[in-house]
């Protein structure tokens, strides 16, 4: 069995890590917004669930222009969410319960309210204070045009003009100005940040937009259109490492420097990259002398089909081996449609159009979606590597696709002139009890409205109930700890069409039926099943079993 204790520096290689979006997890002070004390009070839920660590999404001072990823101070706690003492108490309680703590680090940009950016605005064009960011004069006779054609991820130009005529770069929201990582003070400040949280007991870091820090800022700046393509295609159709602002080779020098900081601790602090790059490039971020691990988004984006998943799993394991890392698996997070809904959408569905239809076109059968989500979960938890679980998926929560426009908070909604609904539907606060103004989230209504259906998904409604999704997760995570052995799998030589079948060891096999018809269940002791198995010995569609022997 794999040792996940505090004495094991490799605890992260096959850990189950639970993502907490603090503003939507639990509200202790009654203001409708989740907070750190709320997280601390609910940590027994995580230890009972059986995960090994929690990952805290941003809890830093922020005006919430991008859900907390617009950070005004990387070494403080948003007063609405608590204090540094509250954070220390959270870490202490987590460690008492045997849970590791991973925090989000946002190095690509700051909030426009950050003291550095406010100083830059006051200092004026050409000042040293502006050198920490990417300020440039505009093009055109009066500098009225953006310096380049670079586009924001959230839509529109990635440049914003300020009254004195300069333009600044923001690859995300205008409230998120990009830092210039060629600046020594920027690099030194983030080394300080790494030490600040590590000294407070943090066990690891999730690095936001890890592929965006290095940029080609040599004059004249290059248009993306000069590459012959625009948008995300521009990353995959240029020579690797040469895009003007995504996934440049120079970024790896930054992470090698970070590794010296992380390795100065005992045990070394871990890190995982959020890098939306092709698999071969992802391996670079996961090298032992850099961050050590990187998210595998190809798996999340793979359609529900045996052939497609077999290929995605095989490639991910190969990529991880190349890097000397372990693979990562994730089905939901704070940026995507919850997989209890997403996996039930017909292939090729325009997900944004589905959200704009309030989830009505096409209609998603919640029972079918949950059945497929449970099967996908058991498949994921059987795979070698680290599994990242997003808060609420252990309850089987679907996407809240019908949030009214007046309730939306994601800046994507406004920045795209109401053509993209955004990510609020997966960030609706959790239900803990069957009743109450926010189903136990807090003593007052939550900051995003919860649908009445959340009552039946609540922890209170599922705890101790045989066959509930919550109990399925608890059982699976408990078994997983006992069965973990090695970091490889062996595919069964012959399987029916639409079936995935692999062995992790002599004591543990996983079989998933992704076809439309029942198939014979291989021989072996049924350790766990994602759904009810018929007496005839078959394995129904959209069902996963773990077999022993």
């Amino acid at each position: 069995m794999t040792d996940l204790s505090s004495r094991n520096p490799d605890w992260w290689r096959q850990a189950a890590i639970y993502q907490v979006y603090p503003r939507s997890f639990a509200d202790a002070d009654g203001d409708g917004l989740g907070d750190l004390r709320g997280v601390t009070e609910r940590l027994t839920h995580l230890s009972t669930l059986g995960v090994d660590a929690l990952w805290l999404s941003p809890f830093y001072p922020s005006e919430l222009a991008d859900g907390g990823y617009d950070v005004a101070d990387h070494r403080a706690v948003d007063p609405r969410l608590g204090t540094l003492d509250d954070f220390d108490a959270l870490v202490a309680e987590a460690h008492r319960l045997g849970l590791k703590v991973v925090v989000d680090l946002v190095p690509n940009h700051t909030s426009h309210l950050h003291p550095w950016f406010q100083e830059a605005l006051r200092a004026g064009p050409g000042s040293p204070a502006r050198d920490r960011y990417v300020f440039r004069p505009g093009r055109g006779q009066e500098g009225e045009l953006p310096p380049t054609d670079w586009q924001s991820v959230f839509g529109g130009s990635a440049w914003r003009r300020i009254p004195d005529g300069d333009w600044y770069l923001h690859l995300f929201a205008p409230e998120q100005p990009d830092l210039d990582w060629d600046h020594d003070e920027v690099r030194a400040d983030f080394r300080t940040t790494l030490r600040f949280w590590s000294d407070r007991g943090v066990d690891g870091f999730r690095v936001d937009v890890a592929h965006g820090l290095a940029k080609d800022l040599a004059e004249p700046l290059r248009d993306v259109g000069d590459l012959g393509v625009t948008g995300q295609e521009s990353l995959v159709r240029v020579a690797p490492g040469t895009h003007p602002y995504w996934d440049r080779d120079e970024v790896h020098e930054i992470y090698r420097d970070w590794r010296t900081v992380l390795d100065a601790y005992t045990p070394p602090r871990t890190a995982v990259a959020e890098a939306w790059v092709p698999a071969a490039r992802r391996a670079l971020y996961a090298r032992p002398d850099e961050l050590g691990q990187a998210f595998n988004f190809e798996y999340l984006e793979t359609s529900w089909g045996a052939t497609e998943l077999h290929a995605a799993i095989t490639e991910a394991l190969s990529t991880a081996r190349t890097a000397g890392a372990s693979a990562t698996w994730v089905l939901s997070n704070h940026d995507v449609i919850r997989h209890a809904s997403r996996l039930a959408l017909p292939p090729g569905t325009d997900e944004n159009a589905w959200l704009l239809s309030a989830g009505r076109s096409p209609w998603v059968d919640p029972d079918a979606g949950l059945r497929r989500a449970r099967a996908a979960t058991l498949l994921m938890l059987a795979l070698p590597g680290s599994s990242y679980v997003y808060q609420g998926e252990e309850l089987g929560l679907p996407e809240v696709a019908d949030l009214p426009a007046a309730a939306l908070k994601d800046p994507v909604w406004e920045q795209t002139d109401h053509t993209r609904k955004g990510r609020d539907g997966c960030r609706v606060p959790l239900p803990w009890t069957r009743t109450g103004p926010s189903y136990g989230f807090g003593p007052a209504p939550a900051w995003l409205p919860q649908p009445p259906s959340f009552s039946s998904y609540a922890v209170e409604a599922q705890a101790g109930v045989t066959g509930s999704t919550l109990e399925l997760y608890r059982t699976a995570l408990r078994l997983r700890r006992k069965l973990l052995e090695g970091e490889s799998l062996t595919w069964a030589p012959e399987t029916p069409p639409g079936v995935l079948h692999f062995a992790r060891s002599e004591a543990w096999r996983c079989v998933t039926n992704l076809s439309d018809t029942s198939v014979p269940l291989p021989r072996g002791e049924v350790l766990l099943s994602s759904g009810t198995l018929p007496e005839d010995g078959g394995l129904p569609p959209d069902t996963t079993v773990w077999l022993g022997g």
Side-chain angles (χ1 to χ4, degrees):
M1 184 177 72
T2 298
D3 177 15
L4 294 171
S5 72
S6 61
R7 298 180 298 276
N8 176 18
D10 292 330
W11 66 266
W12 51 273
R13 294 188 69 92
Q14 295 210 71
I17 300 169
Y18 185 101
Q19 181 188 357
V20 171
Y21 190 74
R23 291 168 174 81
S24 297
F25 190 70
D27 169 24
D29 63 12
D31 65 355
L33 194 67
D35 46 49
L36 295 186
R37 284 201 299 116
V39 176
T40 304
E41 291 172 1
R42 295 289 190 179
L43 283 178
T44 53
H45 173 69
L46 274 63
S47 60
T48 303
L49 188 63
V51 297
D52 304 298
L54 68 146
W55 150 29
L56 279 174
S57 291
F59 51 88
Y60 312 111
S62 171
E63 66 174 342
L64 304 182
D66 182 22
Y69 285 87
D70 47 314
V71 178
D73 186 342
H74 290 84
R75 298 191 290 273
V77 174
D78 191 315
R80 291 167 293 183
L81 273 65
T83 64
L84 280 172
D85 286 342
D86 292 328
F87 178 84
D88 292 341
L90 188 160
V91 173
E93 178 63 5
H95 287 167
R96 187 187 73 81
L97 293 169
L99 297 166
K100 304 289 188 182
V101 178
V102 175
V103 300
D104 234 309
L105 192 65
V106 187
N108 180 70
H109 46 259
T110 72
S111 166
H112 68 137
L113 300 179
H114 191 284
W116 277 0
F117 193 74
Q118 290 298 304
E119 179 187 359
L121 294 180
R122 292 191 300 270
S127 62
R130 292 199 176 179
D131 290 343
R132 300 185 189 111
Y133 294 90
V134 184
F135 280 89
R136 292 291 186 275
R139 296 185 294 191
Q141 289 187 343
E142 304 294 333
E144 72 278 9
L145 300 176
T148 68
D149 65 355
W150 299 357
Q151 295 292 295
S152 163
V153 172
F154 292 156
S157 174
W159 297 93
R160 169 64 65 93
R161 197 180 194 190
I162 57 176
D164 62 27
D166 260 2
W167 296 73
Y168 70 86
L169 179 68
H170 60 90
L171 291 179
F172 292 86
E175 295 86 354
Q176 295 169 290
D178 281 50
L179 290 163
D180 183 350
W181 272 86
D182 287 335
H183 197 291
D184 289 341
E185 192 173 355
V186 171
R187 297 195 180 206
D189 191 72
F190 272 88
R191 284 194 291 269
T192 299
T193 296
L194 289 170
R195 294 187 183 101
F196 179 87
W197 295 112
S198 296
D199 289 344
R200 302 191 91 93
V202 162
D203 301 285
F205 299 88
R206 178 264 189 187
V207 183
D208 185 63
V209 196
H211 61 308
L213 277 58
K215 300 172 177 69
D216 181 5
L217 299 177
E219 297 292 347
L221 297 182
R222 289 188 292 156
D223 279 344
V224 175
D226 291 342
L227 306 174
V229 287
T230 58
Q232 288 300 310
E233 278 190 331
S234 66
L235 177 58
V236 299
R237 289 178 56 187
V238 300
T242 66
H243 190 279
Y245 52 89
W246 291 134
D247 188 38
R248 293 189 59 79
D249 287 337
E250 299 93 315
V251 78
H252 299 289
E253 174 194 342
I254 296 168
Y255 298 132
R256 283 191 290 273
D257 179 56
W258 284 16
R259 179 45 58 189
T260 64
V261 175
L262 301 176
D263 281 353
Y265 291 85
T266 304
R269 294 334 191 210
T270 67
V272 58
E274 182 209 29
W276 292 85
V277 297
R281 297 290 295 179
R282 186 174 70 242
L284 304 180
Y285 296 83
R287 289 178 292 192
D289 66 338
E290 293 193 29
L291 295 177
Q293 200 173 57
F295 282 122
N296 166 23
F297 293 115
E298 286 89 344
Y299 178 74
L300 182 153
E301 295 175 331
T302 300
S303 59
W304 185 247
T307 300
E308 297 87 343
L309 281 169
H310 187 290
I313 292 167
T314 300
E315 181 181 52
L317 293 173
S318 175
T319 299
R321 282 193 298 271
T322 298
S326 61
T328 61
W329 314 103
V330 60
L331 287 165
S332 285
N333 63 36
H334 64 292
D335 281 334
V336 300
I337 293 173
R338 285 187 176 274
H339 68 276
S341 297
R342 188 183 72 249
L343 290 176
L345 291 171
T349 297
D350 182 328
E351 293 181 358
N352 181 59
W354 179 74
L355 288 173
L356 290 172
S357 77
R360 296 186 179 93
S361 181
W363 178 76
V364 171
D365 181 344
D367 293 333
L370 182 57
R371 184 169 59 251
R372 190 166 283 185
R374 288 162 59 104
T377 292
L378 282 199
L379 170 61
M380 177 184 76
L381 292 177
L383 293 169
S386 297
S387 293
Y388 286 80
V389 175
Y390 179 51
Q391 64 176 44
E393 70 173 78
E394 78 278 15
L395 305 178
L397 289 184
E399 183 80 0
V400 183
D402 59 353
L403 286 171
L408 298 179
K409 308 295 185 184
D410 194 330
V412 168
W413 177 242
E414 294 296 336
Q415 290 203 11
T416 62
D417 293 326
H418 302 173
T419 60
R420 288 170 56 193
K421 197 167 186 180
R423 302 157 293 180
D424 290 317
C426 65
R427 301 176 180 182
V428 175
L430 298 189
W432 295 93
T433 60
R434 292 176 180 270
T435 59
S438 58
Y439 302 106
F441 169 70
W447 67 281
L448 282 173
Q450 303 153 297
S453 61
F454 267 30
S455 174
S456 62
Y457 289 100
V459 174
E460 181 183 63
Q462 297 194 48
V465 177
T466 301
S468 71
T469 301
L470 176 57
E471 293 302 331
L472 175 70
Y473 270 74
R474 288 175 173 176
T475 302
L477 288 164
R478 183 175 66 249
L479 275 174
R480 183 179 183 272
R481 282 190 174 184
K482 296 179 179 179
L483 294 167
L484 285 178
E485 184 176 323
E487 293 186 11
S488 62
L489 58 76
T490 303
W491 293 105
E494 295 183 8
T495 57
V499 174
L500 292 178
H501 182 183
F502 60 85
R504 285 294 306 274
S505 67
E506 293 183 0
W508 187 17
R509 288 177 291 140
C510 177
V511 187
T512 302
N513 182 7
L514 299 99
S515 73
D516 295 329
T517 60
S518 183
V519 298
L521 181 65
R523 282 188 287 183
E525 177 190 2
V526 175
L527 304 175
L528 186 61
S529 173
S530 66
T532 303
L533 300 179
E535 294 182 0
D536 64 6
L539 181 63
D542 295 335
T543 306
T544 296
V545 293
W546 290 358
L547 298 174

